[in-house]
Amino acid sequence: MGDFGKERLHSVVLRKHKEGASKSKKQALASPTIMDSPLHEKEKRNPISHPVKSRVQSLCITCLEKNNSCQTVRSRTKLMNVLIGKKKPQEVHSIFNSLTEEGHRPNLITYTTLLAALTLQKRFSSIRSLISKVEEHGMKPDSIFFNAMINAFSESGNIEESMKILNKMKESGCKPTTSTFNTLIKGYGIVGRPDESMKLLEIMSIENVRPNDRTYNILIRAWCDKGNISQAWNLVYKMMDYGLRPDVVTYNTLLRAYAQNGETNRAEEMILEMYSNNVKPNERTCGIIISGYSKEGNMAEALAFVYKMKDFGVHPNLVVFNALIKGFLDVMDTNGVDKALTLMEEFGVKPDVITFSTIMNAWSAAGFMEKCHEIFNDMVKARIEPDIHAFSILAKGYVRAGEPEKAETLLTAMAESSVNPNVVIFTTIISGWCSAGKMDNANRVFEKMSEMGVSPNVKTFETLIWGYGESKQPWKAEEVLHLMEEKGIHPEKNTVQLVAEAWLSIGLVAEGKRIMEKIEENHREKLRASNLKFIQMPGLNGSVSSTNRSRLVMRGSSYMNHKLGFPTKTMIFCRSQLQIQFGINGQLVNPFRLVFI
């Protein structure tokens, strides 16, 4: 039975009678539960897989020759690159699949392009399998492929892996370029560690790789994102000492930092400094200032700056007007919105999907869904195609209004508009059904999400766990926790606490304590492990920096499942026994509504 079974015997001991077990088994076969949901079904239909051995005879003869690829591979790879430039990664996958299905062998450039597509889609979990394919086919990565790998891992926040790729790049004889280091510096900025990215400047100097203006601009942005504007200015001076001049990107980065800090007046004053350094402000510069004033609620200054733009020789664009409209909406100034729309017309600027979505969001947040949908219809009539954000606004609004059925119908409307739903909109709809206490409907949407190849995230699972807790079905909440681990998503402490609270909410204190004890046990294990496993970051000459020696690595895909003591198989609960003992109804929900959006 194991430790888990023994712990449960003294409390709930949800017995399994032969008749009940037989019935449960039949029901499970008849109607799959959440545990049977085919998550990542599209991932199973691997987009980077090759024809199986049974198709070997249909392989392209030219592609079979060593270090060769046919004209079809070369032409379609070029098309894939064009689609990457147009931000259409899904179409890149379709072309890649057609190549392999027709018996062609993709070359290294093809794989590099596919890697770029995966990065654009943030499908970072598929990157390792792609790299494995390249290695399996005996292809030797070049500097471009190495840079693409470094970029992919940097974008995913896995900067340690990026540094390992840098080492592999050097070992293979490929020399890192300025672009390579810029990508790594950007990676450290993404994870909020600009201090460590400064060390890369030293490595660049040692390896005779010259930094460029982009190098410094990335560093400046990293410090601005951390809220350290003084350090950002130090880099501006260092940049100038190196013989590089700040450009409009440099100044825009600093202006944005001041505006985000509530100092838009200071940002506007910097325009004079820009002119003194022969740097002309652009539309982005003006957009930052107008957006800054709008966020501060200073709409008089925001509107006045629109007129000043003429003096700078900058024509107001959609970004400027969208920021202005949002600002007026935030302060509930409908007259101001009218002024902004009138100005748009005067300047010959037509509204786009963002303009309509901004107004929709204001009506939705205020609870006026009829008005919100009316604006949506106006957008469609204006022949402006709604995007995922516009549909998300509608879904969120319907969920807030307690109308999850309307939110779910949007999935059909999205299909008609050729808009693919993402994890956010699915989770929003699921949260609506959870709030309504209709967990069967929530589970149905969850399964539909899986069928469409959309991977659930932590928030999706937390929403389901909370829903089952509210409907007094803690055993189901715990099943979701197991499913989470099976799919490689490690639950955080807060997620596990939701399960504990679900047990406590029906009076099963021992069960709640069991979960909480496992959380504490997991914490103690982490502390013990911190003395054993470390992450090593390559420093100068391959040395390990003292800062990074303290970073622990928790390895093993089943770590959380094992340490928390959860069983690997689905637990069997006698719900009728619980319902008789505690008077629990599967549809009973707490009158307090919590919406995970």
Side-chain angles (χ1 to χ4, degrees):
M1 175 173 274
D3 293 337
F4 178 82
K6 292 175 184 176
E7 287 175 4
R8 300 183 59 77
L9 279 172
H10 72 282
S11 57
V12 184
V13 191
L14 303 172
R15 293 172 187 168
K16 173 180 167 185
H17 299 291
K18 288 184 179 180
E19 298 84 358
S22 177
K23 186 178 179 182
S24 299
K25 202 167 187 179
K26 288 177 182 177
Q27 288 174 340
L29 289 169
S31 56
T33 64
I34 189 171
M35 295 296 291
D36 301 315
S37 300
L39 293 182
H40 303 305
E41 196 62 38
K42 285 194 177 179
E43 290 294 333
K44 291 176 183 176
R45 298 192 291 272
N46 198 329
I48 58 170
S49 62
H50 288 269
V52 293
K53 290 182 180 179
S54 61
R55 294 188 196 168
V56 169
Q57 66 271 18
S58 65
L59 287 174
C60 171
I61 301 300
T62 306
C63 290
L64 285 173
E65 296 176 16
K66 189 176 180 181
N67 299 324
N68 198 9
S69 56
C70 69
Q71 179 60 37
T72 301
V73 172
R74 291 195 295 270
S75 61
R76 291 191 193 174
T77 300
K78 286 180 182 178
L79 178 58
M80 287 167 66
N81 270 306
V82 170
L83 291 169
I84 288 291
K86 293 181 177 180
K87 307 293 182 185
K88 294 182 177 180
Q90 191 56 49
E91 293 183 29
V92 171
H93 286 289
S94 298
I95 294 173
F96 184 91
N97 289 339
S98 68
L99 276 174
T100 57
E101 287 165 6
E102 292 170 17
H104 296 287
R105 187 175 65 182
N107 58 27
L108 185 62
I109 301 173
T110 317
Y111 279 110
T112 305
T113 309
L114 183 60
L115 181 55
L118 290 170
T119 305
L120 274 177
Q121 292 178 299
K122 299 190 182 299
R123 291 178 57 184
F124 303 119
S125 60
S126 301
I127 291 172
R128 292 185 188 279
S129 60
L130 184 147
I131 295 170
S132 296
K133 288 290 179 185
V134 171
E135 292 171 349
E136 283 173 17
H137 289 285
M139 297 180 187
K140 185 180 179 182
D142 58 10
S143 59
I144 298 173
F145 188 78
F146 276 119
N147 283 338
M149 281 195 288
I150 289 171
N151 183 58
F153 285 117
S154 295
E155 288 286 342
S156 72
N158 192 346
I159 191 64
E160 281 77 21
E161 193 63 34
S162 293
M163 293 301 292
K164 288 179 184 177
I165 299 296
L166 176 67
N167 281 344
K168 284 184 181 179
M169 185 178 187
K170 292 176 182 177
E171 289 167 6
S172 71
C174 293
K175 181 177 171 59
T177 63
T178 303
S179 177
T180 310
F181 284 104
N182 287 351
T183 303
L184 288 165
I185 290 169
K186 179 188 69 174
Y188 277 113
I190 289 171
V191 297
R193 287 151 57 184
D195 50 331
E196 294 184 46
S197 66
M198 298 290 286
K199 297 173 186 175
L200 289 170
L201 277 179
E202 299 174 29
I203 298 175
M204 290 177 76
S205 177
I206 290 170
E207 299 188 4
N208 294 318
V209 180
R210 286 181 59 83
N212 56 19
D213 53 356
R214 179 167 166 74
T215 311
Y216 282 100
N217 284 338
I218 294 170
L219 278 167
I220 290 165
R221 175 163 186 167
W223 283 111
C224 285
D225 287 343
K226 287 287 284 185
N228 194 335
I229 301 177
S230 60
Q231 182 62 36
W233 273 111
N234 287 337
L235 280 162
V236 173
Y237 302 138
K238 189 171 184 177
M239 177 184 190
M240 295 171 75
D241 290 341
Y242 194 74
L244 298 169
R245 304 295 300 175
D247 58 12
V248 69
V249 175
T250 315
Y251 283 108
N252 284 349
T253 303
L254 292 164
L255 262 68
R256 185 174 63 92
Y258 281 118
Q260 288 178 341
N261 201 38
E263 301 177 80
T264 309
N265 279 328
R266 173 75 181 91
E268 186 176 348
E269 290 169 2
M270 279 186 61
I271 290 180
L272 293 175
E273 185 173 334
M274 290 175 71
Y275 276 113
S276 66
N277 284 302
N278 295 318
V279 179
K280 185 180 177 182
N282 60 14
E283 291 173 335
R284 172 135 181 80
T285 312
C286 299
I288 289 168
I289 292 171
I290 289 170
S291 181
Y293 280 132
S294 297
K295 286 177 182 176
E296 293 171 16
N298 193 347
M299 297 311 299
E301 289 292 339
L303 189 59
F305 193 84
V306 174
Y307 292 103
K308 290 180 186 178
M309 289 178 67
K310 186 177 180 181
D311 299 333
F312 304 141
V314 180
H315 190 83
N317 62 3
L318 261 173
V319 175
V320 167
F321 282 114
N322 286 340
L324 196 64
I325 289 168
K326 186 179 185 305
F328 280 123
L329 287 169
D330 287 343
V331 296
M332 306 298 286
D333 186 349
T334 54
N335 290 329
V337 174
D338 288 339
K339 284 181 183 177
L341 292 171
T342 302
L343 272 175
M344 281 183 77
E345 197 172 346
E346 289 177 4
F347 280 99
V349 178
K350 293 183 179 180
D352 65 352
V353 65
I354 297 174
T355 315
F356 282 101
S357 295
T358 302
I359 300 171
M360 280 173 61
N361 194 51
W363 286 120
S364 173
F368 296 102
M369 286 309 297
E370 285 186 12
K371 283 283 186 183
C372 179
H373 205 278
E374 188 180 314
I375 299 297
F376 180 87
N377 289 336
D378 288 343
M379 174 172 62
V380 175
K381 287 175 185 176
R383 296 185 178 180
I384 295 172
E385 294 182 2
D387 60 6
I388 185 67
H389 181 59
F391 282 109
S392 293
I393 291 168
L394 282 174
K396 196 180 293 185
Y398 283 131
V399 167
R400 283 198 192 108
E403 299 178 294
E405 66 284 350
K406 288 186 178 180
E408 188 173 346
T409 59
L410 292 173
L411 293 175
T412 304
M414 291 175 74
E416 291 171 355
S417 299
S418 300
V419 177
N420 295 319
N422 59 14
V423 65
V424 175
I425 199 162
F426 270 115
T427 303
T428 299
I429 297 167
I430 289 169
S431 74
W433 286 121
C434 288
S435 296
K438 296 184 178 179
M439 294 309 298
D440 287 344
N441 291 347
N443 190 39
R444 185 191 66 246
V445 175
F446 180 79
E447 289 175 349
K448 186 171 186 178
M449 175 184 184
S450 305
E451 290 166 6
M452 294 184 71
V454 179
S455 301
N457 59 18
V458 173
K459 183 60 70 178
T460 313
F461 286 112
E462 285 183 349
T463 302
L464 282 167
I465 290 171
W466 173 84
Y468 281 120
E470 288 296 290
S471 61
K472 308 303 180 186
Q473 300 179 69
W475 56 90
K476 282 285 189 180
E478 199 159 341
E479 283 181 8
V480 176
L481 201 61
H482 308 325
L483 181 62
M484 215 175 157
E485 176 62 27
E486 286 175 14
K487 300 305 173 184
I489 301 176
H490 299 294
E492 299 293 334
K493 181 178 178 181
N494 291 341
T495 313
V496 184
Q497 280 178 332
L498 284 172
V499 179
E501 289 165 8
W503 283 112
L504 292 171
S505 70
I506 64 169
L508 293 179
V509 178
E511 290 303 299
K513 284 183 177 178
R514 171 179 62 84
I515 300 294
M516 296 303 293
E517 284 170 4
K518 297 306 175 184
I519 294 174
E520 292 303 319
E521 181 186 334
N522 177 50
H523 178 65
R524 288 192 295 270
E525 286 292 329
K526 280 186 177 181
L527 289 177
R528 284 195 290 270
S530 65
N531 295 320
L532 301 174
K533 296 181 180 181
F534 304 92
I535 288 175
Q536 293 186 348
M537 186 194 97
L540 300 176
N541 299 321
S543 63
V544 182
S545 66
S546 59
T547 306
N548 291 296
R549 289 193 186 100
S550 62
R551 294 200 182 88
L552 59 90
V553 176
M554 307 306 292
R555 293 176 182 168
S557 62
S558 61
Y559 177 81
M560 185 68 78
N561 196 46
H562 172 69
K563 294 300 178 186
L564 289 178
F566 297 131
T568 55
K569 294 183 180 179
T570 306
M571 293 179 296
I572 299 174
F573 295 93
C574 182
R575 288 197 312 189
S576 59
Q577 197 173 37
L578 280 175
Q579 289 169 348
I580 292 168
Q581 188 175 354
F582 297 100
I584 301 166
N585 186 304
Q587 294 303 315
L588 178 65
V589 293
N590 191 311
F592 173 74
R593 172 175 291 152
L594 174 61
V595 180
F596 286 88
I597 52 178

